[in-house]
Amino acid sequence: MDIIIVGGGLMGTSVAFFLSRRGYRVILLERRFVGQGATVASFGNIRRQGRYLPQLPLAHRSRALWGEIRDLLGEDVEFRATGHLRLIHDQGGLEDMQAFARAALPWGLELEMLEPTDIRRRFPGLGPEAIGASFSPEDGSANPRLIAPAFARAAAVSGTDIVEEAEVLKIARGSEGFAVETTKGRFEADQLLIAAGAWGARMSAEFGEPVPMRLNGPQMAVTEPLPHRVHPVVGVWARERDAGVYFRQVERGNIVFGGGRRVNVPWKTGFAKADPRVLAVQLPHLVRLCPALANVQVIRTWSGPEGYLEDMLPVMGASGKVPGLYYAFGFCGHGFQLGPGVGDVMAELIATGDTTTPIGDFSVSRFRDQPA
Ligand SMILES: Cc1cc2nc3c(=O)[nH]c(=O)nc-3n(C[C@H](O)[C@H](O)[C@H](O)COP(=O)(O)OP(=O)(O)OC[C@H]3O[C@@H](n4cnc5c(N)ncnc54)[C@H](O)[C@@H]3O)c2cc1C
């Protein structure tokens, strides 16, 4: 085999798809079932506003792939370029939006800046107290429950061997490549990619490359279905963490929302349990964005285990120590938008030794002084 991929979330399945299209023989090992980690829990926001600026080239490449995703994968994963509206309620938010909009322009992201009258006219019912907003018309959302299984199915059609319920127990590097012990037996390949989400940190540490990883869960909720009226994804520019709530309405009518404080997730179980106190804090901020939601029933809350590095950037690229070893993990709550781009760029790196999109800022080597 050419390469083993550890982890069947959005990143692992996406890299598998793009590598198998380049003719690579790929085995993907997933301890549970494809897409059941952070990916399935995601809000599904395909957002470029507010991103770390040097990440925008990767985000643009990914956004272009989202636009082709139905043709690439042969199925509808509910990608919709509805636009992403971010409302502003105070001077701090206005200053942050203006600074970001100015700085993002040379990076190829152009935001529309809206006055209150524009918001009322274009988005009636949203942000009645807003003093302004920014709108990113090409962004939107997709369905987090569909995307990783769709990438996995398409990768399998191109020849990837997807092995589910195969927990990786031990990885060894020998002169012939990598040998991986799992609960379903032993697998060998010339190269190896660690795409195990938050658990990628434990695996990189085994190769002498520890990174400072925390395990947290953003908290989400969904309401009963309502008539479909809200088209864009709606968020806010807010300095206060609890106010950072966002929502979207799916075509079936339910409002999905999340944001604000994250829950702690125990490493032992990896189970991210929603906290009712977080919901109580989210609700008034949600209603401020859209007052018509004041009397709507919330029918479910959830969270998911996501890996956060201390600088809030992922680990992506080649190992600094072990030839043939690659990483794509720890996407700090913003990996859904990046998923197709990560797959394409990592496949390019593995196949050609370089990338046309810069990813140097995400190198594991930035943590080379991290204690083991
Ligand atoms: C609640 C929530 C909301 C989010 N909302 C957004 C959003 O709106 N927009 C956005 O851009 N991003 C969002 N994100 C972030 C985004 O979902 C993640 O960054 C992305 O899905 C990470 O994908 P991944 O493949 O790296 O990780 P995962 O999906 O966690 O996949 C890693 C896989 O590795 C497997 N694995 C781990 N250890 C082993 C092992 N030993 N052996 C075999 N397999 C193993 C796991 O079972 C898992 O399936 C959100 C995240 C959460 C949790």
Side-chain angles (χ1 to χ4, degrees):
M1 244 338 130
D2 294 325
I3 188 162
I4 290 172
I5 296 178
V6 181
L10 173 54
M11 302 311 169
T13 57
S14 172
V15 182
F17 171 75
F18 286 104
L19 269 180
S20 57
R21 282 190 359 146
R22 287 176 178 262
Y24 264 62
R25 293 169 306 147
V26 182
I27 297 179
L28 183 145
L29 303 173
E30 164 54 46
R31 69 178 163 188
R32 291 198 287 262
F33 293 95
V34 155
Q36 287 189 340
T39 303
V40 74
S42 178
F43 173 72
N45 202 359
I46 295 177
R47 160 192 73 80
R48 285 173 293 175
Q49 297 195 64
R51 258 177 210 276
Y52 172 64
L53 294 169
Q55 198 178 64
L56 281 175
L58 176 62
H60 293 327
R61 182 159 167 177
S62 202
R63 171 58 189 83
L65 290 163
W66 278 112
E68 301 165 17
I69 206 91
R70 190 196 285 251
D71 290 340
L72 282 173
L73 304 185
E75 49 187 294
D76 179 16
V77 295
E78 297 178 9
F79 168 67
R80 304 287 183 264
T82 53
H84 177 219
L85 178 71
R86 277 182 88 167
L87 298 162
I88 300 162
H89 288 127
D90 54 32
Q91 191 59 27
L94 185 63
E95 286 167 14
D96 290 349
M97 183 278 278
Q98 288 169 336
F100 179 82
R102 262 194 312 274
L105 208 49
W107 291 91
L109 181 67
E110 192 169 355
L111 302 183
E112 296 173 21
M113 292 190 230
L114 309 185
E115 298 290 331
T117 47
D118 303 317
I119 303 170
R120 316 275 175 272
R121 182 174 48 81
R122 292 176 59 179
F123 304 105
L126 297 180
E129 298 171 29
I131 60 169
S134 59
F135 186 61
S136 182
E138 303 295 324
D139 287 338
S141 63
N143 189 327
R145 280 160 287 283
L146 301 180
I147 188 65
F151 263 121
R153 275 190 291 274
V157 168
S158 304
T160 293
D161 190 4
I162 307 275
V163 188
E164 295 183 310
E165 298 182 285
E167 179 166 9
V168 169
L169 305 171
K170 191 162 179 275
I171 308 174
R173 174 86 168 89
S175 54
E176 299 290 299
F178 294 86
V180 180
E181 303 290 345
T182 79
T183 47
K184 268 198 176 160
R186 179 185 162 96
F187 298 84
E188 293 179 356
D190 302 339
Q191 293 172 298
L192 187 108
L193 166 71
I194 293 174
W199 283 267
R202 295 188 168 183
M203 298 177 194
S204 71
E206 295 286 319
F207 286 105
E209 297 184 298
V211 300
M213 181 73 84
R214 277 178 296 117
L215 184 59
N216 283 163
Q219 183 160 322
M220 308 287 120
V222 63
T223 71
E224 62 186 318
L226 307 164
H228 188 220
R229 298 267 163 73
V230 182
H231 295 284
V233 179
V234 184
V236 65
W237 290 95
R239 290 183 181 176
E240 188 204 338
R241 187 175 187 176
D242 286 342
V245 167
Y246 41 82
F247 78 96
R248 66 189 179 95
Q249 186 173 27
V250 302
E251 285 164 18
R252 290 171 293 285
N254 313 73
I255 301 284
V256 183
F257 64 93
R261 210 159 286 268
R262 296 190 288 267
V263 299
N264 286 321
V265 183
W267 280 107
K268 194 158 180 241
T269 61
F271 180 64
K273 190 169 178 290
D275 180 342
R277 288 168 300 186
V278 173
L279 177 65
V281 176
Q282 288 170 327
L283 287 172
H285 294 291
L286 174 72
V287 171
R288 194 175 191 201
L289 300 179
C290 181
L293 299 178
N295 296 314
V296 170
Q297 290 293 327
V298 172
I299 59 174
R300 189 167 81 84
T301 59
W302 73 93
S303 180
E306 172 74 329
Y308 291 84
L309 279 302
E310 64 190 15
D311 59 6
M312 294 303 277
L313 297 176
V315 174
M316 198 180 153
S319 158
K321 291 197 166 168
V322 182
L325 177 64
Y326 297 88
Y327 300 122
F329 65 81
F331 280 84
C332 307
H334 60 256
F336 189 77
Q337 192 280 344
L338 298 176
V342 169
D344 196 20
V345 168
M346 289 303 298
E348 184 188 10
L349 175 67
I350 292 164
T352 71
D354 206 355
T355 65
T356 46
T357 300
I359 56 167
D361 283 14
F362 316 129
S363 167
V364 71
S365 305
R366 71 189 192 273
F367 298 116
R368 69 172 72 81
D369 298 329
Q370 178 74 14

